[in-house]
Amino acid sequence: MATTSDNARTSANSSGTAGSAGGNSGGGAADEGGALSSVRQSGADAYQAARDRTSAAYSAARERAGSVGQRTAEGIDSAPMVAIAGGLALGALLGALLPRSSREEELLRPVGQKLSETARGAIDNARETARDQIGDLGGRAADALRSATKS
């Protein structure tokens, strides 16, 4: 299968051949044919050079990607809990950054409200317990002071 560079070379070669086969009868036409052939060859050479550089860059990128994948797998094998924690943190970050859809809000609003009410109830209970304990400690301290002053 002929590539573009092969077609350019064939075309350049045939242009050069046609110009030389006609002899020097055209003079200026032969010079134009030679110049055109030279331009075609330069284009074909530039194309081939770009293709070679692109191929080399692609190969280097594949090698680097393979080594990064291997190092990542080794890291996960050596510390799976860290990998899980990192994955959860990344998922939470992405979830926080992505906008919520109306369907998500519709489904999750009742859950969020229930969690919020439960948290408020827990805070209120903790507050009441703390007040009771502080009141008890204050009463005990007052009793201790009274008994100390009577003695």
Side-chain angles (χ1 to χ4, degrees), residues 5-53:
S5 63
D6 294 337
N7 290 339
R9 285 190 189 117
T10 303
S11 177
N13 289 339
S14 65
S15 294
T17 308
S20 62
N24 286 339
S25 63
D31 290 342
E32 288 178 13
L36 182 59
S37 175
S38 175
V39 168
R40 285 185 181 159
Q41 186 60 42
S42 295
D45 291 344
Y47 170 80
Q48 188 62 38
R51 186 173 179 194
D52 292 343
R53 285 192 306 267

Side-chain angles (χ1 to χ4, degrees), residues 28-121:
D31 290 342
E32 288 178 13
L36 182 59
S37 175
S38 175
V39 168
R40 285 185 181 159
Q41 186 60 42
S42 295
D45 291 344
Y47 170 80
Q48 188 62 38
R51 186 173 179 194
D52 292 343
R53 285 192 306 267
T54 303
S55 177
Y58 176 74
S59 295
R62 279 189 74 168
E63 287 176 22
R64 276 187 249 130
S67 67
V68 167
Q70 184 178 5
R71 280 184 280 164
T72 302
E74 289 170 1
I76 290 172
D77 288 343
S78 66
M81 295 306 289
V82 172
I84 290 172
L88 289 174
L90 182 61
L93 177 65
L94 288 175
L97 293 176
L98 295 175
R100 292 186 186 135
S101 69
S102 58
R103 180 74 174 146
E104 285 175 318
E105 286 186 21
E106 178 184 316
L107 291 173
L108 296 177
R109 186 179 310 265
V111 174
Q113 288 173 344
K114 186 169 183 169
L115 284 173
S116 180
E117 290 170 5
T118 303
R120 283 191 193 113

